């Protein structure tokens, strides 16, 4: 019996996380935007994808090995960048990155991480990618990239689906924002979750002060500094293909665009020398009328015809969802909330439990499908 043997699937971890985390933080992790149509779309479109089983195939040896951006890895997974993992668990980014290292998959550090990339690199041993939100001050942005490169990030992920701040009304109602602000509502929420308060908040206060974005310059941590720097560091709404050119010139590693949902944009990524795209609607957190990535992935894969690597995310809760994305033409899949639920209930061990569950579900699905390797996964003919 392991410590998390009662957690049998991602939904169990989500329920346990909802009890442990303050309500405002749990909703920030879990919910979507506006009327949350897109969350339902992601789920229903994934559920609608049927995979075709081949029978009488020897599946006694199955391999979930994949090649992503030139690296062979035991699972076709990458940990998606998620701001504030470090609020969900003390040093949560390091904890998830340790689980990723144990599973042999990359961990993508967020620009808005609570823990700095240097510490994640030193303490986790994981292969690191770095996700970028473009700041209005491009010089500061390039300085941040130099920092990420020096810390060992091998791949840069430019998020292209967040040109403006998303409309998440629950955050306003809950008084949730970063840097954390004191309010009666937030105080009550914290008081009602003593385990989280003791293990995350009080530890943070004792070691480094109120948790905030670690990659923002030091001045950002003071109220005055925040006011002065806020314009320079707010997310630029004028990010264009010119920025992709700038990043392609500046960044020596692989370059990935995350949040592509159009064939034309995938083709433009190809002509700009990008190495991979992530077909994603940001886990339904941004644009509530966005298509589910599974709705556009086949057309993008057709048009790209192997000339660019295609990754995908949004909505993976089962190993079968990973198989669905791969059968539609993705080379690899990112997971965001699933490891966050895991880390919320048990740090690196909890995140590791989620990776084990998803890997095991994927292996069972492959066995049932008569697919000894990931390339053997097939869609059922439409109407089947
Ligand atoms: C709490 C949270 C924070 C996120 N922060 C970022 C971020 O800073 N940058 C980014 O590109 N995507 C961010 N995402 C989106 C994820 O990278 C990913 O696209 C999404 O979570 C995938 O959907 P899933 O959660 O259903 O797996 C975030 C997602 C969550 C749940």
């Amino acid at each position: 019996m392991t410590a998390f043997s009662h957690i049998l699937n991602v939904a169990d971890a989500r329920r346990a996380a909802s009890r442990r985390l303050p309500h405002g933080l749990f909703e920030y992790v879990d919910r979507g935007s506006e009327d949350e149509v897109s969350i339902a779309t992601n789920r229903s479109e994934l559920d609608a994808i049927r995979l075709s089983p081949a029978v009488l195939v020897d599946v006694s040896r199955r391999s979930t090995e994949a090649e992503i951006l030139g690296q062979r890895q035991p699972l076709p997974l990458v940990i998606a960048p998620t701001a504030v993992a470090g609020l969900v668990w003390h040093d949560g980014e390091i904890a998830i990155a340790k689980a990723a290292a144990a599973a042999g998959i990359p961990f993508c550090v967020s620009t808005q991480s609570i823990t700095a990339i240097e510490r994640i690199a030193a303490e986790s041993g994981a292969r690191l990618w770095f996700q970028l939100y473009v700041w209005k001050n491009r010089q500061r942005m390039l300085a941040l990239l130099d920092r990420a490169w020096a810390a060992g990030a091998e791949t840069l992920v430019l998020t292209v689906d967040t040109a403006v701040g998303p409309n998440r009304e629950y955050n306003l109602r809950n008084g949730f924002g970063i840097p954390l602000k004191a309010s009666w509502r937030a105080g009550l929420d914290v008081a009602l979750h003593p385990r989280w308060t003791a293990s995350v908040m009080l530890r943070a206060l004792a070691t480094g002060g109120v948790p905030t974005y670690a990659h923002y310059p030091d001045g950002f941590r003071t109220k005055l500094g925040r006011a002065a720097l806020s314009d320079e560091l707010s997310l630029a709404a004028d990010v264009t293909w010119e920025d992709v050119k700038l990043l392609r010139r500046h960044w020596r590693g692989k370059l990935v665009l995350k949040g592509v949902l159009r064939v034309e944009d995938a083709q433009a990524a190809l002509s700009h020398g990008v190495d991979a795209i992530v077909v994603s609607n940001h886990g339904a957190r941004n644009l509530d009328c966005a298509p589910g990535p599974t709705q556009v992935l086949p057309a993008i894969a057709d048009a790209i015809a192997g000339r660019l690597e295609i990754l995908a995310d949004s909505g993976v809760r089962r190993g079968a969802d990973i198989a669905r994305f791969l059968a539609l033409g993705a080379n690899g899949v990112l997971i965001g909330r699933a490891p966050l639920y895991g880390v919320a209930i048990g740090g690196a061990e909890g995140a590791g439990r989620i990776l084990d569950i998803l890997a095991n579900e994927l292996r069972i699905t492959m066995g049932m499908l008569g697919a000894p390797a990931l390339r053997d996964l097939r869609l059922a003919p439409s109407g089947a």
Side-chain angles (χ1 to χ4, degrees), residues 139-154:
Q139 286 315 312
R140 283 193 185 273
M141 173 194 85
L142 291 178
L144 175 62
L145 290 188
D146 291 344
R147 222 179 120 180
W149 179 257
E154 57 190 55

Side-chain angles (χ1 to χ4, degrees), residues 168-212:
R168 300 177 187 152
E169 290 148 11
Y170 51 90
N171 284 343
L172 299 175
R173 285 201 189 95
N174 295 330
F176 183 85
I178 307 281
L180 297 171
K181 285 179 286 293
S183 72
W184 283 112
R185 188 182 290 263
L188 182 64
D189 200 359
V190 164
L192 289 171
H193 295 85
R195 274 200 305 173
W196 178 86
T197 307
S199 61
V200 181
M201 203 56 196
L202 295 180
R203 269 183 88 176
L205 290 174
T207 49
V210 179
T212 187

Side-chain angles (χ1 to χ4, degrees), residues 22-367:
H23 179 72
L25 179 56
F26 178 74
E27 291 213 323
Y28 173 77
V29 167
D30 190 63
R31 294 189 63 178
S33 70
E34 295 192 342
D35 301 313
E36 299 182 307
V37 174
S38 200
I39 289 224
T41 303
N42 283 355
R43 188 64 259 156
S44 61
E45 291 296 331
L46 272 163
D47 284 340
I49 294 163
R50 315 273 89 204
L51 299 179
S52 173
V55 297
L56 297 171
V57 176
D58 179 356
V59 288
S60 53
R61 285 159 188 249
R62 277 157 281 151
S63 166
T64 54
E65 199 179 71
E67 188 172 320
I68 297 181
L69 292 173
Q71 303 272 348
R72 296 210 71 75
Q73 47 180 81
L75 288 169
L77 295 177
V78 176
I79 304 287
T82 56
V84 313
L87 276 185
V88 165
W89 186 264
H90 179 67
D91 284 346
E93 288 91 356
I94 296 173
I96 304 180
K98 280 183 177 167
I105 64 174
F107 174 86
C108 187
V109 179
S110 170
T111 292
Q112 296 183 333
S113 172
I114 302 292
T115 309
I117 186 165
E118 292 85 355
R119 281 194 59 219
I120 302 173
E123 294 181 38
S124 74
R127 282 175 47 213
L128 298 184
W129 293 11
F130 187 77
Q131 174 268 336
L132 180 71
Y133 280 133
V134 174
W135 288 338
K136 279 192 185 165
N137 183 323
R138 303 297 202 271
Q139 286 315 312
R140 283 193 185 273
M141 173 194 85
L142 291 178
L144 175 62
L145 290 188
D146 291 344
R147 222 179 120 180
W149 179 257
E154 57 190 55
T155 295
L156 177 65
V157 177
L158 172 67
T159 300
V160 292
D161 62 8
T162 314
V164 296
N167 191 14
R168 300 177 187 152
E169 290 148 11
Y170 51 90
N171 284 343
L172 299 175
R173 285 201 189 95
N174 295 330
F176 183 85
I178 307 281
L180 297 171
K181 285 179 286 293
S183 72
W184 283 112
R185 188 182 290 263
L188 182 64
D189 200 359
V190 164
L192 289 171
H193 295 85
R195 274 200 305 173
W196 178 86
T197 307
S199 61
V200 181
M201 203 56 196
L202 295 180
R203 269 183 88 176
L205 290 174
T207 49
V210 179
T212 187
Y213 297 141
H215 298 127
Y216 285 52
D218 287 343
F220 185 78
R221 276 168 254 285
T222 66
K223 221 173 174 181
L224 273 177
R226 273 203 307 272
L229 284 170
S230 66
D231 196 47
E232 291 186 35
L233 303 185
S234 52
L235 304 191
D238 61 352
V239 182
T240 67
W241 292 101
E242 289 306 311
D243 289 284
V244 176
K245 286 183 197 158
L246 170 70
L247 293 173
R248 187 64 292 179
R249 283 197 304 275
H250 191 87
W251 182 258
R252 281 167 280 172
K254 303 278 187 191
L255 179 62
V256 177
L257 302 189
K258 173 171 177 285
V260 171
L261 290 169
R262 265 196 200 190
V263 168
E264 294 85 338
D265 288 339
Q267 284 164 330
L270 183 63
S271 64
H272 281 77
V274 165
D275 298 290
I277 54 169
V278 187
V279 178
S280 161
N281 66 12
H282 212 107
R285 295 168 64 79
N286 280 0
L287 174 68
D288 205 28
C289 51
T294 55
Q295 293 176 286
V296 295
L297 182 52
I300 292 177
D302 264 4
I304 291 303
R307 290 172 295 163
L308 184 67
E309 215 159 289
I310 301 179
L311 309 173
D313 78 15
S314 299
V316 169
R317 301 294 179 269
R318 288 278 187 189
D321 295 334
I322 302 168
R324 288 170 160 131
F325 273 120
L326 297 178
L328 286 178
N331 300 84
V333 176
L334 278 63
I335 47 173
R337 292 183 187 83
L340 282 180
Y341 300 141
V343 80
I345 60 171
E349 221 182 319
R353 174 82 181 140
I354 290 298
L355 295 178
D356 286 347
I357 287 171
L358 288 173
N360 188 44
E361 288 175 351
L362 177 60
R363 274 192 291 273
I364 293 173
T365 305
M366 291 168 72

